[in-house]
């Protein structure tokens, strides 16, 4: 992995370093109540996010195409959307803990990206040379980022079912209800998950004359969508506990992770059209 | 915050919830059992009315037996939620078991017993199984009834759209399932056909064929690779021993294939380092079309003819190349190529014996059988032996000399020199076009002296530089031009009398529409430059599905973020 890090661009190293710095800041910040211990890690996280934006833009220019083709590129973009959603959630719901957990997640994504580093920038195959590629990927990764953060707040709910007092400089002190926050983020993620799924079907029709091919990746995308749809409906069952709801979200995130990373383990994957190159 | 959850979970609610889930579970499980029975009966029964009536009776029996509980339960959140999860579970099962595989492949994968059980449960074709479709039918019923029950109002608009959208999509799916098909027409340039080989399930298995009401002709096909993008690469040899299959009963080991570690843009003078070593390198110069610039001292006659040679710009059917021939070096003074240059090209400083005999009018018969172009350096003469006849003319630098019986194949002499030691060659690039890329690199160990090397493409057979004392080597390669940029077919739709009804060029993502059918660029074969695979689809429900997509997305948005959304609850 160190060899891989050695050969990555300076921008990658800087971004990685800033995320690590933000994590350290949050690590200290969650034990301190002073405003400054909330502001500094948030600023560092924002800085890392901006560096990640430049990293993606630089790749876009160098490759001469949207940088979403290879596994490595998609992981960097997943880190970017996760950061974006996490920063927004932290800003809106005043949750320093979410920033802490998100930076751990983002760093793990970056480390994983190092193991999948592209030695060579690959060109887009004909099927991906369409305007639909960009909205489809952006919808999905916004959904993935949001639902990943929702998964984190669901875990926080299980750990702190009574909520926690907000320690953030950006708003008034208040009590945080992690379950309600999970629902708000999930709604947002679900909307983009739906859009991504349907845009994918539309694109599939144009590229392969098939809006739905029962491809393993498509099927697992549907499964993820169904689990989150079930979550939204579970909320209508009055006595269905918040704890169980949190678990449904975590299962949904697990389904997304499997959709993203687990296709190689399926016996039907050999037929799949949705394979990341460079893995 | 708009939130429907309350923290109450009293025992009455808990009982209600348990009963609700239990009832929904029973209804869905019973549906699966009845559908399995009906579909297996459909498969067992001979193709008569019985094969339709028997399974229909089973399905009807389910509806009759469970009509009342279905009516009571179908619009509850328990039923909707469990239906969603049941579909998720069914879909997951379909990814764990091979789908639509030919019988022999399926049996090979799962064994006789395993494949029988899986087939009995319809797990070899989950997505066309009656129980899987049954989940969707019941979910559609649930969505429809839930929407029906709710008043149509501005506040409920999002709810209605979000719940009716999936029904519209399923309706389009249903129309396509029964009235649509998807397949391929495989054509060579100039061929026409109306026969479509039809796919089932995944694109791997073709089951049937159908005829279009018109012909499709492939007028032209072309594909292009991406432009090359040469990079300086660091490769690592895989020196670990890997066990190989024991062909002759003895275990064998072999090293694996090398791995590319870094692929670096061609930035001249930038110093690079190979990780984990003390080796540094830099690109000193890149030549897009590598060639040598030759020079020789002006006064030749003062130089002794120790190692005489001639530099020729040889023009063959494959292109032009600089070639040096050396009179005193065995094997390096002749090019023998009957096919391309029509005989032998030879260089001597002094007239050789066989040529002297021929000049004297007594040629060796066997020697004279071959057409020859002989350059004599000391005399600056060129002798042609063509079809047994000898002729000669002065040899001048810069003039083009065609070979006997050839017009465009020949050579231009650049230099004639008595001693190769005085010939100076300087690397250069003949233009900027990427015709013969070569990189000049300098490699050194930390604190050591630099060593220059020329790299040129071609993998291990090409010009690589193995870094002494390490597992690494440097190479100049381009991977990008191995990838396809586009492939395009020009199609014509032909009527009954072969008249052209429509012509269009198609590429991936840009299909042609004609008569309710869509034609896609879906396949090509680099080894068959005239072949094209044209995907064909007929999907009468497609626009219904697209409408359903729009309704679902709009409904979800209004339900979550609409101005007039109902502030409590989703269902």
């Amino acid at each position: 992995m160190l060899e891989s890090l050695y050969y990555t661009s300076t921008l990658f190293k800087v971004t990685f370093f800033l995320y690590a710095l933000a994590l350290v800041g949050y690590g200290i910040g969650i034990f301190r109540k002073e405003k400054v211990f909330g502001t500094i890690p948030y600023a560092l996280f924002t800085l890392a996010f901006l560096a990640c934006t430049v990293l993606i833009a630089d790749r876009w220019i160098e490759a001469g195409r949207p940088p979403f083709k290879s596994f490595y590129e998609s992981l960097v973009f997943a880190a970017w959307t996760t950061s974006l959603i996490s920063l927004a959630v932290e800003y809106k719901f005043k949750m320093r803990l979410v920033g802490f957990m998100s930076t751990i997640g983002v760093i793990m994504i970056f480390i994983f990206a190092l193991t999948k580093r592209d030695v060579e920038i690959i060109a887009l195959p004909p099927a991906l040379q369409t305007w639909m590629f960009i909205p489809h990927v952006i919808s999905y990764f916004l959904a993935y980022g949001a639902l990943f953060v929702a998964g984190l707040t669901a875990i926080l709910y299980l750990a702190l079912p009574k909520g926690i007092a907000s320690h953030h400089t950006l708003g008034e002190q208040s009590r945080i209800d992690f379950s309600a926050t999970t629902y708000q983020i999930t709604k947002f993620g679900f909307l983009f998950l739906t859009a991504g799924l349907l845009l994918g079907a539309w694109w599939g029709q144009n590229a392969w004359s098939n809006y739905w091919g029962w491809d393993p990746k498509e099927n697992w995308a549907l499964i993820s969508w169904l689990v989150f749809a079930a979550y939204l409906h579970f909320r209508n069952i009055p006595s269905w506990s918040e704890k169980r709801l949190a678990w449904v979200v975590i299962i949904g995130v697990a389904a997304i992770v499997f959709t993203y990373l687990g296709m190689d383990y399926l016996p039907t994957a050999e037929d799949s059209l949705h394979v990341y190159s460079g893995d | 915050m708009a939130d429907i959850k309350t923290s109450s979970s009293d025992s009455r609610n808990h009982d209600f919830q348990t009963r609700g889930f239990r009832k929904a579970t029973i209804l869905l499980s019973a549906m699966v059992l009845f559908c399995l029975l009906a579909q297996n009966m459909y498969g067992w029964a001979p193709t008569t009315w019985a094969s339709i009536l028997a399974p229909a009776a089973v399905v009807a029996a389910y509806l009759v037996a469970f009509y009342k509980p279905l009516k009571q339960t179908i619009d509850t959140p328990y039923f909707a939620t469990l239906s969603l999860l049941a579909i998720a579970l069914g879909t997951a099962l379909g990814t764990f078991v091979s789908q639509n595989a030919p019988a022999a492949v399926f049996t090979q994968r799962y064994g006789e017993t395993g494949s029988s059980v899986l087939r009995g449960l319809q797990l070899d074709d989950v997505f066309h199984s009656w129980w899987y479709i049954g989940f969707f039918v019941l979910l559609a019923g649930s969505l429809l009834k839930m929407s029906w029950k709710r008043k149509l109002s501005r506040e409920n608009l999002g709810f209605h759209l979000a719940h009716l959208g999936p029904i519209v999509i399923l309706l389009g799916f249903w129309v396509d399932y029964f009235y649509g098909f998807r397949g391929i027409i495989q054509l060579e340039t100039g061929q026409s056909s109306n026969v479509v080989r039809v796919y089932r399930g995944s694109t791997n298995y073709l089951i049937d064929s159908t005829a279009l009401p018109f012909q499709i002709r492939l007028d032209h096909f072309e594909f292009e690779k991406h432009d090359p993008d040469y990079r300086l690469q660091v490769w690592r040899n895989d020196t670990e021993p890997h066990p190989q299959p024991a062909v002759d009963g003895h275990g064998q080991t072999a090293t694996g294939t090398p791995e590319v570690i870094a692929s670096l843009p061609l930035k001249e003078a930038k110093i690079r380092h190979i990780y984990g070593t003390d080796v540094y390198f830099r690109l000193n110069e890149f030549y897009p079309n590598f060639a040598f610039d030759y020079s020789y001292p002006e006064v030749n006659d003062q130089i002794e003819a120790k190692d005489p040679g001639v530099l020729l710009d040889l023009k063959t059917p494959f292109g032009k190349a600089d070639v040096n021939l050396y009179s005193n070096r065995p094997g390096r003074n002749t090019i023998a190529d009957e096919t391309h240059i029509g005989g032998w090209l030879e260089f001597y400083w002094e007239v050789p014996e066989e040529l002297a005999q021929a000049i004297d009018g007594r040629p060796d018969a066997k020697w004279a059988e071959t057409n020859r172009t002989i350059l004599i350096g000391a005399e600056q003469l060129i002798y042609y032996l063509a079809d047994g006849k000898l002729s000669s003319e002065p040899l001048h630098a810069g003039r083009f000399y065609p070979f006997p019986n050839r017009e465009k194949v020949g050579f231009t002499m650049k230099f004639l020199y008595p001693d190769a030691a005085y010939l100076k060659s300087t690397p250069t690039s003949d233009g900027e076009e990427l015709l013969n890329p070569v990189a000049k690199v300098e490699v050194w160990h930390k604190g050591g002296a630099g060593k220059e090397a020329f790299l040129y493409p071609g993998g291990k057979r090409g010009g690589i530089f193995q870094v002494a004392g390490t597992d690494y080597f440097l190479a100049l390669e381009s991977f990008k031009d191995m990838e396809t940029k586009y492939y395009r077919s020009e199609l014509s739709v032909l009527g009954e009398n072969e008249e052209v009804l429509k012509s269009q060029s198609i590429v991936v993502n840009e299909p042609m529409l004609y008569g309710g059918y869509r034609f896609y660029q879906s396949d090509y074969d680099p080894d068959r430059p005239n072949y094209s695979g044209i995907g064909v689809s007929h999907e009468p429900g497609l626009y219904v599905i697209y409408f359903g997509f729009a309704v679902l997305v709009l409904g979800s948005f209004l339900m979550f973020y609409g101005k007039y959304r109902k502030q409590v609850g989703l269902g």
Side-chain angles (χ1 to χ4, degrees):
Chain A
M1 200 192 74
L2 282 176
E3 183 182 52
S4 194
L5 181 64
Y6 184 80
Y7 286 116
T8 55
S9 64
T10 310
L11 264 172
F12 185 97
K13 291 182 189 104
V14 168
T15 309
F16 192 27
F17 177 72
L18 285 169
Y19 275 126
L21 220 55
L23 174 62
V24 173
Y26 278 118
I28 298 166
I30 54 170
F31 296 108
R32 306 291 293 262
K33 292 187 178 181
E34 295 89 335
K35 278 185 178 184
V36 70
F37 288 104
T39 313
I40 290 175
Y42 189 81
L44 284 170
F45 197 9
T46 308
L47 210 59
F49 166 73
L50 292 174
C52 195
T53 311
V54 178
L55 176 67
I56 290 167
D58 179 66
R59 179 75 168 196
W60 196 318
I61 293 163
E62 191 185 357
R65 56 161 177 77
F68 313 134
K69 166 68 184 102
S70 68
F71 208 163
Y72 163 83
E73 289 169 343
S74 76
L75 284 164
V76 172
F77 192 53
W80 185 85
T81 52
T82 304
S83 310
L84 174 70
I85 302 292
S86 178
L87 285 167
V89 166
E90 189 177 345
Y91 184 81
K92 185 171 166 61
F93 299 105
K94 327 289 183 256
M95 292 181 176
R96 203 177 297 175
L97 265 174
V98 169
F100 174 66
M101 292 178 77
S102 294
T103 44
I104 293 176
V106 168
I107 283 171
M108 283 168 69
I109 293 172
F110 258 67
I111 290 170
F112 189 50
L114 277 176
T115 68
K116 303 287 177 188
R117 180 180 65 90
D118 287 340
V119 174
E120 188 85 18
I121 295 179
I122 42 180
L124 280 188
L128 271 56
Q129 294 169 21
T130 167
W131 65 269
M132 290 178 139
F133 178 46
I134 298 173
H136 169 68
V137 173
I138 289 177
S139 291
Y140 254 122
F141 278 80
L142 276 175
Y144 284 3
L147 295 170
F148 181 69
V149 175
L152 296 180
T153 54
I155 291 168
L156 285 174
Y157 175 79
L158 292 175
L160 304 160
K162 291 182 179 171
I164 192 169
S166 167
H167 306 147
H168 204 287
T169 57
L170 300 167
E172 293 300 312
Q173 296 270 324
S174 62
R175 196 117 195 119
I176 292 167
D177 176 355
F178 287 118
S179 181
T181 313
T182 302
Y183 172 60
Q184 292 299 326
I185 308 167
T186 305
K187 276 198 315 187
F188 177 85
F190 182 76
L191 195 62
F192 280 94
L193 199 65
T194 308
L197 188 70
L198 302 185
L199 279 168
W202 186 12
W203 175 16
Q205 179 64 32
N206 266 1
W208 296 292
S209 69
N210 203 1
Y211 49 79
W212 196 262
W214 301 108
D215 182 286
K217 191 111 181 174
E218 292 170 2
N219 289 334
W220 274 92
L222 175 66
I223 291 165
S224 310
W225 186 87
L226 287 164
V227 173
F228 283 104
Y231 163 80
L232 295 170
H233 286 83
F234 270 128
R235 290 188 65 84
N236 287 346
I237 297 169
S239 55
W240 189 260
S241 71
E242 307 273 2
K243 198 173 160 186
R244 285 175 181 173
L245 279 172
W247 275 111
V248 177
V249 172
I250 292 165
I251 290 167
V253 174
I256 282 177
V257 171
F258 189 74
T259 308
Y260 189 36
L261 306 175
M263 291 302 100
D264 289 346
Y265 304 104
L266 290 173
T268 46
E270 64 198 47
D271 300 337
S272 178
L273 289 166
H274 302 79
V275 189
Y276 276 115
S277 45
D279 53 342
Chain B
M1 175 179 304
D3 189 8
I4 59 148
K5 285 301 298 177
T6 64
S7 56
S8 67
S9 56
D10 56 49
S11 60
R12 204 175 59 128
N13 264 342
H14 188 74
D15 286 350
F16 188 64
Q17 173 195 306
T18 310
R19 279 204 305 276
F21 277 125
R22 192 184 296 152
K23 220 170 182 178
T25 309
I26 290 168
L27 284 167
L28 289 166
S29 306
M31 184 277 291
V32 171
L33 291 174
F34 274 76
C35 280
L36 277 173
L37 183 63
Q39 194 171 2
N40 280 312
M41 284 175 85
Y42 182 72
W44 297 328
T47 49
T48 59
W49 279 105
S51 70
I52 295 167
L53 288 176
V58 174
V59 174
Y62 171 77
L63 292 172
V64 169
F66 294 97
Y67 176 72
K68 203 174 166 187
L70 260 179
K71 195 180 166 191
Q72 288 170 347
T73 316
I74 202 161
D75 56 350
T76 60
Y78 311 106
F79 194 87
T81 311
L82 275 187
S83 297
L84 290 167
L85 291 179
I87 294 169
L89 186 66
T91 311
L93 284 173
T95 66
F96 292 127
V97 181
S98 295
Q99 299 294 295
N100 305 110
V105 175
F106 202 73
T107 309
Q108 191 190 3
R109 280 185 190 169
Y110 303 106
E112 287 286 346
T113 316
S115 53
S116 298
V117 172
L118 292 172
R119 271 197 211 97
L121 296 171
Q122 309 297 335
L123 288 173
D124 59 328
D125 190 8
V126 168
F127 308 118
H128 296 93
S129 70
W130 293 12
W131 60 262
Y132 186 72
I133 295 166
F135 284 142
F136 282 97
V137 172
L138 292 180
L139 177 67
S142 172
L143 294 170
L144 203 60
K145 197 174 173 196
M146 276 198 278
S147 197
W148 185 260
K149 267 174 50 181
R150 189 169 287 216
K151 197 176 80 176
L152 187 59
S153 65
R154 194 164 64 174
E155 289 78 13
N156 286 331
L157 184 62
F159 177 91
H160 286 297
L161 292 178
H163 286 79
L164 291 175
I167 296 173
V168 176
I169 294 169
L170 289 174
L171 201 69
F173 238 77
W174 183 79
V175 170
D176 282 352
Y177 182 73
F178 285 103
Y179 301 105
F181 69 83
R182 206 167 55 80
I184 189 166
I185 299 180
Q186 292 168 309
L187 295 171
E188 296 275 343
T189 307
Q191 278 184 341
S192 60
S193 175
N194 68 337
V195 179
V196 183
R197 300 176 69 205
V198 178
Y199 293 128
R200 176 177 174 83
S202 85
T203 51
N204 282 352
Y205 307 110
L206 297 156
I207 53 159
D208 207 351
S209 60
T210 190
L212 301 176
F214 45 79
Q215 299 263 332
I216 293 293
R217 186 178 66 204
L218 177 63
D219 295 326
H220 178 70
F221 176 74
E222 62 182 18
F223 71 93
E224 195 177 301
K225 301 276 184 183
H226 283 277
D227 293 333
D229 178 21
Y230 285 96
R231 284 170 175 254
L232 203 55
Q233 296 176 340
V234 180
W235 290 70
R236 181 170 47 214
N237 287 311
D238 182 3
T239 51
E240 290 293 311
H242 297 274
Q244 298 290 303
V247 179
D248 56 358
H250 299 286
Q252 297 177 22
T253 56
T255 52
T257 49
E259 179 191 8
V260 62
I261 305 298
S263 185
L264 309 160
L266 299 172
K267 282 185 188 165
E268 287 177 10
K270 186 174 168 69
I271 294 175
R272 317 273 193 182
H273 173 230
I274 300 178
Y275 179 80
T277 69
D278 67 342
V279 178
Y280 294 80
F281 64 97
R282 72 171 159 229
L283 174 71
N284 279 347
E285 203 159 356
F286 176 69
Y287 311 96
N289 187 20
F290 184 83
F292 280 110
D293 246 354
Y294 292 95
S295 62
Y296 202 79
E298 287 290 326
V299 188
N300 270 0
D301 51 4
Q302 292 174 2
I303 300 169
E304 198 183 335
K306 276 186 181 172
D307 184 12
V310 65
L311 171 64
L312 307 174
D313 179 11
L314 193 64
K315 190 181 175 194
T316 71
F318 307 108
K320 292 168 81 176
D322 282 346
V323 174
N324 276 295
L325 296 176
Y326 303 96
S327 175
N328 297 348
R329 300 187 195 180
R332 298 288 304 276
N333 69 334
T334 303
I335 296 171
D337 189 345
E338 296 276 355
T339 314
H340 300 109
I341 66 172
W344 290 30
L345 169 66
E346 299 163 65
F347 169 68
Y348 303 95
W349 190 251
E350 304 286 351
V351 173
E353 194 183 332
E354 292 90 344
L355 179 60
Q357 286 176 9
I359 294 167
D360 289 347
R362 44 185 183 83
D364 179 83
K366 192 163 176 57
W367 181 80
E369 280 176 7
T370 306
N371 287 345
R372 295 168 192 271
T373 305
I374 306 168
L375 315 181
I376 304 300
E379 296 178 4
Q380 299 197 17
L381 277 176
I382 178 166
Y383 287 90
Y384 293 108
L385 180 66
D387 306 320
K389 290 178 183 170
L390 190 69
S391 61
S392 68
E393 60 177 304
L395 181 62
H396 294 296
R399 186 178 144 192
F400 181 71
Y401 294 93
F403 292 117
N405 306 326
R406 294 286 192 277
E407 281 184 11
K408 293 181 179 173
V409 179
F411 65 88
T412 306
M413 190 184 76
K414 287 185 161 179
F415 293 110
L416 180 68
Y417 46 88
D419 192 348
Y422 290 90
L423 182 71
K424 300 284 179 225
S425 60
T426 314
T428 186
S429 187
D430 186 6
E432 292 303 304
E433 206 177 344
L434 272 172
L435 296 173
N436 183 28
V438 170
K440 185 167 77 176
V441 291
E442 190 180 353
V443 188
W444 66 94
H445 289 269
K446 193 175 182 183
K451 190 176 179 181
E452 276 201 338
F454 288 90
L455 308 176
Y456 52 92
K460 285 218 87 170
R461 289 171 299 163
I464 61 163
F465 180 80
Q466 179 70 49
V467 183
T470 74
D471 288 335
Y472 297 93
F473 64 88
L474 303 178
L476 177 73
E477 293 293 344
S478 164
F479 291 153
K480 203 176 172 189
D481 49 333
M482 295 174 190
E483 296 167 41
T484 303
K485 191 175 180 182
Y486 71 85
Y487 43 114
R488 174 188 293 131
S489 293
E490 284 170 22
L491 301 180
S492 285
V493 181
L494 305 180
E496 273 182 23
N497 301 315
E498 303 239 323
E499 73 277 19
V500 176
L501 303 170
K502 182 174 184 173
S503 286
Q504 192 176 323
S505 175
I506 59 167
V507 290
V508 178
N509 282 311
E510 290 175 26
M512 173 176 84
L513 269 75
Y514 185 81
Y517 301 88
R518 286 161 185 266
F519 300 89
Y520 297 83
Q521 181 63 73
S522 72
D523 189 26
Y524 83 104
D525 182 350
D527 297 328
R528 291 166 62 195
N530 295 321
Y531 160 78
S532 178
I534 311 296
V536 183
S537 76
H538 176 58
E539 282 137 343
L542 187 62
Y543 290 108
V544 177
I545 290 171
Y546 286 169
F547 178 67
F549 285 178
V551 170
L552 174 58
V553 172
L554 181 67
S556 302
F557 179 79
L558 290 176
M559 203 164 69
F560 294 150
Y561 300 108
K563 189 178 173 186
Y564 301 109
R565 70 187 186 276
K566 200 150 189 169
Q567 292 294 311
V568 286
L570 288 159

